[in-house]
Amino acid sequence: MASSNSSSPLKIGIMGFGPFAQFLSQTLLKRGHSLSAASRSDHSLLCSQMGVHFYRDFDELIGSDAEVVLLSTSIISIDNVIRSVSFDRLRRPLPLFVDVLSVKEYPKELLLQVLPEEADILCTHPMFGPESGKQGWKGLPLVYEKVRIRDHSLCQNYLEIFQSEGCIMVEMSCEEHDKVAAKTQFLTHTIGRVLAEMEIDSTPMDTKGFQALLQLNKNTVKDSFDLYGGLFVHNRFAKQELENLELALKIVKEKLLGSANGVSDL
Amino acid sequence: MASSNSSSPLKIGIMGFGPFAQFLSQTLLKRGHSLSAASRSDHSLLCSQMGVHFYRDFDELIGSDAEVVLLSTSIISIDNVIRSVSFDRLRRPLPLFVDVLSVKEYPKELLLQVLPEEADILCTHPMFGPESGKQGWKGLPLVYEKVRIRDHSLCQNYLEIFQSEGCIMVEMSCEEHDKVAAKTQFLTHTIGRVLAEMEIDSTPMDTKGFQALLQLNKNTVKDSFDLYGGLFVHNRFAKQELENLELALKIVKEKLLGSANGVSDL
Ligand SMILES: NC(=O)c1ccc[n+]([C@@H]2O[C@H](COP(=O)([O-])OP(=O)(O)OC[C@H]3O[C@@H](n4cnc5c(N)ncnc54)[C@H](OP(=O)(O)O)[C@@H]3O)[C@@H](O)[C@H]2O)c1
Ligand SMILES: NC(=O)c1ccc[n+]([C@@H]2O[C@H](COP(=O)([O-])OP(=O)(O)OC[C@H]3O[C@@H](n4cnc5c(N)ncnc54)[C@H](OP(=O)(O)O)[C@@H]3O)[C@@H](O)[C@H]2O)c1
């Protein structure tokens, strides 16, 4: 294990340099950590502008001196990405593996299966993104499970980034996360997607409630469909929530039709 | 017609003293207008505390010296209420009739049919309520149609209450209002009701988007089901929007199932 002290800057290697990794990086850099990244696409120009070292492939990053490897690929690609990596390139002490996926049971199982037994694993889900976190992270939740931690000091050092930014630190099992997230985040994304499908648009007479829906729609579609699809496909509780939503709409419709009949009965 | 000058206080008689009338009254009183009310239920205690004269029945209010009669009963009861009134009690000059119903074609037709031809009619919909307007009315829309106005000065005097409070004044036909409101306000209420049916609740890991849904749920269920039912039953465009919502949910579900199949095909 890399020994570390809670205030020292970390060497963090990021796998998957998409919108969320770019967003996280701004704060990680600001806090003085040194970053490298590898990704499916070539982000070398952006990385050089930001001051992030860009590796041409994942194996190079895995062979680097990163103390923390941050997994930030899309939910649906993580399996392919992680299974394509040559872990025999890893240097000792092994880095801490941290994922940021918006589902948690799935990467937990995957990482336990694929990573070398000596590697520590921290599963996290920052409950915010480029939109909701653009004014800072204060008061926004970081959910995490210490799945397999032996170097507690390194793990704490990483978690303290979020703590120092003012995040609400929520330690919770990956299973519990997925149960709750299906009822909250997946539902929210689904409503945002439904509104987008309806092509809702602002008017001169919007109520405040409708303005909130416009905002939700706008923020939801900024996230990739891969992300939304991943919330459904890799959270085993999501299907039930989709069914609950359909059922609730059905009940509301029946109540409306009931009141319509009540009126015509008068 | 009652002659009036745009800065003079008005005598306003309110028919239906429910939550919305009570909310409006606070501002009307603050602006120095003198209020009376009549309602199905006995609101005499609250009225005496507020400084509103309470009549025992609608006919007494109709026979009073009110310059403006404000109709604020529920959408589904307005027909019964207005048809039960003895308009032969009206004093000359006739008052201006103003409604505040959240649907607009329906009261417009009803008032044109039932009120004496000499009575002026202003159809309005303040696009806010006790929750969204509790910090003041600034920037909130008032939609209105001058359905039959001959005493322009009296009508202007009434509208200026909203203008002076900072409302956005949106002159629009009742038909256009209903088309737009079905796509915005009715949709918003429907989503709020669906969320209420699902019994969504706050958790330690709420995203900002989910917090917006919690707020929407809370605000929606504060309004009576009569109000929500009225939005559906008496807005001829609402049914289509309910169907659009169902269809949009179906499409989103198909996309999700498509991405789930995509994954299992790998
Ligand atoms: N956006 C948010 O608000 C948010 C919040 C919390 C957590 N997260 C999580 O953060 C992760 C990244 O999210 P995101 O917003 O950046 O968008 P995303 O669409 O979920 O993921 C984009 C990333 O996945 C990579 N990727 C996609 N398909 C790939 C494939 N077939 N092979 C290899 N890599 C592939 C992309 O690489 P290239 O860019 O190189 O093409 C990019 O780095 C996700 O797991 C998401 O659940 C996101
Ligand atoms: N709440 C809002 O945010 C809002 C915003 C804009 C416009 N509006 C409109 O304002 C009007 C009043 O709304 P509200 O929020 O106060 O609640 P509501 O439930 O729509 O209406 C309540 C009012 O209707 C009366 N009422 C109900 N059933 C009746 C019946 N069978 N016979 C006679 N009167 C009956 C009630 O009388 P009692 O109290 O005497 O029983 C009360 O005055 C509605 O037309 C609504 O569309 C409401």
Side-chain angles (χ1 to χ4, degrees), chain A residues 197 228 246 253 255-256, chain B residues 197 228 246 253 255-256:
Chain A
E197 208 58 62
Y228 176 53
E246 286 177 296
K253 186 185 181 177
K255 288 186 181 175
L256 283 177
Chain B
E197 208 58 62
Y228 176 53
E246 286 179 295
K253 185 184 182 179
K255 287 186 182 175
L256 283 178

Side-chain angles (χ1 to χ4, degrees), chain B residues 218-231:
Chain B
K218 203 170 130 233
N219 289 350
T220 310
V221 297
K222 276 190 190 152
D223 286 330
S224 69
F225 196 87
D226 276 0
L227 196 164
Y228 176 53
L231 295 184

Side-chain angles (χ1 to χ4, degrees), chain A residues 198-217:
Chain A
M198 294 183 79
E199 298 181 357
I200 63 166
D201 210 347
S202 90
T203 77
M205 49 177 262
D206 296 345
T207 58
K208 284 200 179 172
F210 184 67
Q211 284 171 349
L213 291 185
L214 284 169
Q215 189 62 45
L216 182 69
N217 172 6

Side-chain angles (χ1 to χ4, degrees), chain A residues 47-217:
Chain A
C47 279
S48 80
Q49 286 161 351
M50 293 180 74
V52 173
H53 182 85
F54 192 75
Y55 290 108
R56 280 167 313 143
D57 65 32
F58 291 122
D59 280 347
E60 280 191 43
L61 184 139
I62 284 296
S64 75
D65 62 351
E67 296 158 286
V68 174
V69 172
L70 202 59
L71 302 166
S72 187
T73 65
S74 65
I75 297 166
I76 56 171
S77 70
I78 185 96
D79 186 276
N80 274 348
V81 168
I82 206 84
R83 288 185 195 277
S84 73
V85 164
S86 310
F87 289 111
D88 49 14
R89 294 243 205 154
L90 281 169
R91 299 195 204 172
R92 318 263 131 188
L94 292 194
L96 166 67
F97 283 81
V98 181
D99 87 289
V100 299
L101 272 59
S102 307
V103 296
K104 297 268 52 76
E105 280 192 307
Y106 173 66
K108 174 181 172 176
E109 297 312 320
L110 181 69
L111 296 180
L112 282 170
Q113 209 183 324
V114 176
L115 292 183
E117 209 284 323
E118 318 90 84
D120 278 10
I121 303 172
L122 175 67
C123 284
T124 78
H125 182 198
M127 304 299 302
F128 51 93
E131 278 309 308
S132 52
K134 71 177 160 202
Q135 312 288 350
W137 303 358
K138 198 164 152 48
L140 302 175
L142 177 84
V143 177
Y144 65 96
E145 181 185 342
K146 294 177 177 173
V147 171
R148 185 168 69 200
I149 299 296
R150 282 147 300 194
D151 187 341
H152 290 278
S153 150
L154 177 59
C155 177
Q156 197 46 42
N157 198 348
Y158 179 79
L159 287 173
E160 265 179 29
I161 300 171
F162 294 83
Q163 203 145 20
S164 311
E165 288 292 320
C167 285
I168 300 170
M169 307 299 284
V170 185
E171 190 163 4
M172 185 187 273
S173 74
C174 289
E175 178 179 358
E176 186 62 16
H177 166 279
D178 284 3
K179 261 189 210 158
V180 176
K183 285 186 189 296
T184 59
Q185 191 194 24
F186 170 67
L187 176 64
T188 307
H189 275 252
T190 299
I191 287 173
R193 293 276 163 189
V194 166
L195 295 171
E197 208 58 62
M198 294 183 79
E199 298 181 357
I200 63 166
D201 210 347
S202 90
T203 77
M205 49 177 262
D206 296 345
T207 58
K208 284 200 179 172
F210 184 67
Q211 284 171 349
L213 291 185
L214 284 169
Q215 189 62 45
L216 182 69
N217 172 6

Side-chain angles (χ1 to χ4, degrees), chain B residues 34-238:
Chain B
S34 99
L35 304 189
S36 59
S39 206
R40 173 184 59 177
S41 314
D42 181 7
H43 296 279
S44 54
L45 187 63
L46 175 66
C47 279
S48 81
Q49 286 162 350
M50 292 179 75
V52 173
H53 182 86
F54 193 73
Y55 290 108
R56 279 168 313 142
D57 65 32
F58 292 122
D59 280 347
E60 280 192 41
L61 184 139
I62 285 296
S64 77
D65 62 350
E67 297 158 285
V68 174
V69 172
L70 202 59
L71 302 165
S72 186
T73 65
S74 66
I75 297 166
I76 57 170
S77 70
I78 184 96
D79 185 275
N80 273 348
V81 167
I82 205 84
R83 289 185 194 278
S84 72
V85 165
S86 309
F87 289 111
D88 48 14
R89 295 241 203 156
L90 280 170
R91 298 196 205 172
R92 317 263 132 187
L94 293 193
L96 166 67
F97 282 81
V98 181
D99 88 288
V100 299
L101 272 60
S102 309
V103 296
K104 295 268 54 74
E105 281 191 305
Y106 173 66
K108 173 180 172 176
E109 296 313 320
L110 181 69
L111 297 180
L112 282 170
Q113 210 183 322
V114 177
L115 292 182
E117 209 285 321
E118 317 90 83
D120 278 10
I121 302 172
L122 175 67
C123 283
T124 77
H125 182 199
M127 305 298 303
F128 51 94
E131 277 309 307
S132 52
K134 72 177 161 204
Q135 311 289 348
W137 303 358
K138 199 164 149 48
L140 302 174
L142 177 84
V143 177
Y144 65 98
E145 181 186 342
K146 294 177 178 174
V147 171
R148 187 167 69 199
I149 299 296
R150 282 148 300 193
D151 186 342
H152 290 279
S153 151
L154 176 59
C155 176
Q156 197 45 42
N157 198 349
Y158 179 78
L159 287 174
E160 265 179 28
I161 300 170
F162 293 83
Q163 202 145 22
S164 310
E165 288 291 321
C167 285
I168 299 170
M169 306 299 285
V170 185
E171 190 164 3
M172 187 187 272
S173 73
C174 288
E175 178 178 358
E176 186 62 16
H177 166 279
D178 284 3
K179 259 188 211 160
V180 176
K183 285 185 189 297
T184 59
Q185 192 195 20
F186 170 68
L187 176 65
T188 307
H189 276 251
T190 299
I191 288 173
R193 293 275 162 188
V194 166
L195 296 171
E197 208 58 62
M198 295 183 78
E199 298 180 359
I200 63 166
D201 210 348
S202 89
T203 76
M205 51 176 262
D206 295 345
T207 58
K208 285 201 177 172
F210 184 66
Q211 284 170 350
L213 291 185
L214 284 168
Q215 189 62 45
L216 182 69
N217 172 7
K218 203 170 130 233
N219 289 350
T220 310
V221 297
K222 276 190 190 152
D223 286 330
S224 69
F225 196 87
D226 276 0
L227 196 164
Y228 176 53
L231 295 184
F232 180 70
V233 178
H234 293 297
N235 180 338
R236 65 189 164 104
F237 304 102

